[in-house]
């Protein structure tokens, strides 16, 4: 049986996959089972931050594999401690809880916020406000946090205590704060799955001030926007806000499963022994991989991200078949005249892998994609949008 046939028969049918089997790759180029090459403009949905099989990343992973691949969290290991220090020193956050995915990083953020509020204001202060059209994960609690009804259908009852407000409407947020006992507000600086929609800076600032006044924790979901993606280490750094909690995952370990929840001053000691845990959280190999990624996200790399972002934005703006460009850094949404799915299919046939998000073509290339490879991909995308 072919791999595609086997997958269709035995793997749960949750993914509408393209009819392509990827077998190998290097950098921003992947190869399918027929030997055809593709430029990868999705990087595993913003996961392979430095592309496929990056030499420095691979060396870090292999070096750790040669030492120890896993120990339980009953013992200390170097990569986990080193990664936590790196993340705290680069953000000003105080402590980190490690898990294995974005949803888990958000679960931890929600637990931290509820525990803080329960201890400080009373256990009835459990509501978490999120934005409409947001995406926070697939577990029952992060689905409840996700402000898109269609994800909820047939999975009820979801975890109670979530309220969704209109993105950009400060009065709606004020009303929700007045009519609920609120622990936290959780936002994405750029709604990724929601269609690459950046938050309005004035709204973000006003929401941040409201949270501060009311001792409501501000959680920023940086699962997709984090780790250099927007031209800053974390997307909130593009805005005039300081989150109490930051969750991240996707690109953090460059292609190995990881989740991290960064805890600021207010919540640094909210968790004590036994209050939360994860078997694989802080795994030495994933943590060593993440150290190698975070160490390389310096000003030079971030300048490159901004330059390449500007290049793409300029190259596609106003071109035939393109209605607009959204996003920040190398998190790019292209509103196309043709359905985004049709453009994605045409691009794939011409050797370029792109993502979609709602009505947009979504690009999340590797942060270090070479300029000539990027230019080649952009010319194919332009062609596919125009024809
Ligand atoms: C992908 C994503 C998640 C979920 O991450 P998983 O690793 O799939 O659990 C949560 N929040 C945002 C903003 C995401 O983009």
């Amino acid at each position: 049986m072919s791999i595609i046939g086997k997958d269709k028969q035995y793997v749960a049918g949750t993914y509408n996959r393209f009819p392509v089997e990827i077998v190998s790759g290097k950098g921003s180029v992947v190869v399918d089972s027929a030997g055809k090459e593709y430029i990868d403009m999705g990087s595993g949905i913003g996961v392979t931050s430095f592309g496929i099989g990056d030499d420095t990343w691979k060396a870090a992973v292999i070096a750790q594999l040669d030492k120890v691949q896993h120990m339980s969290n009953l013992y200390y290991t170097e990569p986990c401690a080193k990664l936590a220090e790196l993340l705290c020193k680069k953000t000003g956050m105080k402590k980190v809880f490690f898990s294995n995915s974005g949803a888990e990083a958000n679960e931890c953020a929600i637990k931290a916020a509820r525990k803080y509020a329960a201890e400080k204001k009373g256990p009835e202060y459990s509501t978490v406000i999120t934005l409409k059209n947001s995406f926070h994960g697939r577990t029952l609690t992060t689905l409840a946090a996700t402000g898109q009804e269609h994800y909820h259908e047939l999975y009820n009852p979801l975890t109670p205590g979530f309220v969704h407000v209109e993105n950009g409407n400060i009065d709606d947020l004020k009303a929700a704060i007045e009519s609920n006992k609120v622990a936290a507000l959780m936002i994405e600086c750029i709604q990724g799955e929601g269609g690459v929609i950046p938050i309005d800076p004035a709204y973000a600032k006003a929401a941040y001030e409201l949270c501060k006044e009311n001792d409501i924790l501000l959680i920023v979901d940086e699962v997709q926007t984090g780790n250099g993606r927007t031209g800053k280490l974390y997307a909130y750094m593009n805005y005039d806000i300081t989150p109490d909690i930051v969750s991240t995952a996707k690109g953090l370990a460059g292609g190995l499963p990881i989740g991290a929840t960064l805890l600021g001053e207010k919540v640094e000691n909210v968790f004590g022994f036994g209050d939360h845990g994860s078997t694989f959280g802080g795994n030495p190999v994933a943590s060593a991989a993440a150290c190698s990624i975070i160490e390389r996200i310096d000003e030079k790399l971030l300048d490159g991200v901004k330059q390449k972002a500007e290049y793409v934005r300029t190259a596609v703006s106003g071109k035939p078949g393109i209605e607009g460009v959204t996003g920040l850094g190398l998190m790019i949404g292209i509103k196309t005249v043709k359905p985004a799915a049709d453009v994605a299919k045409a691009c794939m046939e011409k050797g370029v892998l792109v993502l979609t998000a709602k009505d947009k073509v979504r690009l999340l290339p590797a942060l270090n994609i070479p300029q000539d490879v990027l230019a080649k991909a952009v010319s194919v995308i332009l062609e596919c949008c125009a024809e």
Side-chain angles (χ1 to χ4, degrees), residues 101-104 106 135-138 188 193 221 223-224 249-250:
S101 66
E104 280 176 277
N106 286 337
F135 183 85
H136 297 295
R138 302 284 198 158
E188 293 159 274
E193 302 308 309
D221 178 344
V223 171
Q224 189 163 155
K250 288 193 169 86

Side-chain angles (χ1 to χ4, degrees), residues 80-275:
C80 160
K82 208 175 128 192
L83 177 59
E85 180 189 28
L86 266 174
L87 289 170
C88 288
K89 290 211 163 141
K90 284 183 174 246
T91 60
M93 301 297 276
K94 300 296 180 197
K95 283 191 175 9
V96 185
F97 179 85
F98 290 112
S99 54
N100 316 284
S101 66
E104 280 176 277
N106 286 337
E107 289 268 346
C108 173
I110 293 160
K111 282 179 83 171
R114 283 200 171 154
K115 187 157 186 286
Y116 171 85
E119 287 170 347
K120 183 123 186 257
K121 304 196 282 189
E124 68 278 19
Y125 281 82
S126 61
T127 300
V128 175
I129 301 174
T130 68
L131 302 183
K132 288 183 180 162
N133 195 48
S134 58
F135 183 85
H136 297 295
R138 302 284 198 158
T139 62
L140 286 170
T141 296
T142 56
L143 265 188
T146 293
Q148 302 188 57
E149 282 304 319
H150 71 97
Y151 285 112
H152 298 175
E153 280 160 22
L154 303 182
Y155 293 115
N156 288 303
L158 301 177
T159 307
F162 289 88
V163 168
H164 311 297
V165 299
E166 200 184 314
N167 187 3
N169 182 340
I170 202 72
D171 292 330
D172 202 22
L173 177 60
K174 275 184 193 155
I177 290 173
E178 274 160 26
S179 56
N180 295 280
K181 301 233 182 287
V182 179
L185 167 69
M186 178 152 75
I187 59 169
E188 293 159 274
C189 287
I190 305 171
Q191 292 184 335
E193 302 308 309
V196 197
I197 300 168
I199 201 165
D200 172 56
Y203 174 76
K205 174 77 173 164
Y208 163 66
E209 295 295 346
L210 260 182
C211 286
K212 249 196 338 198
E213 282 162 27
N214 293 283
D215 197 13
I216 290 167
L217 296 175
L218 178 63
I219 304 170
V220 179
D221 178 344
E222 297 258 11
V223 171
Q224 189 163 155
T225 54
N227 313 303
R229 179 58 47 196
T230 66
K232 300 268 188 192
L233 181 59
Y234 290 99
Y236 77 80
M237 295 169 174
N238 293 290
Y239 296 84
D240 192 11
I241 61 174
T242 307
D244 298 295
I245 303 175
V246 174
S247 58
T248 190
K250 288 193 169 86
L252 176 57
L256 289 176
I258 194 167
T261 309
L262 282 54
L263 306 169
E265 228 160 57
K266 280 188 176 179
V267 285
E268 67 172 311
N269 295 316
V270 76
F271 291 132
F273 297 147
D275 285 337

Side-chain angles (χ1 to χ4, degrees), residues 21-42:
E21 182 202 346
I22 301 298
V23 294
S24 63
K26 188 74 189 168
S28 287
V29 175
V30 293
V31 184
D32 75 9
S33 52
K36 179 175 168 182
E37 291 192 349
Y38 303 84
I39 298 173
D40 180 10
M41 294 294 284

Side-chain angles (χ1 to χ4, degrees), residues 286-307:
S287 298
C291 284
S292 96
I293 296 291
I294 292 295
E295 277 167 352
R296 289 164 78 193
I297 302 177
D298 55 13
E299 283 311 312
K300 186 159 167 273
L301 181 95
L302 293 172
D303 283 344
V305 168
K306 284 180 241 174
Q307 271 167 28

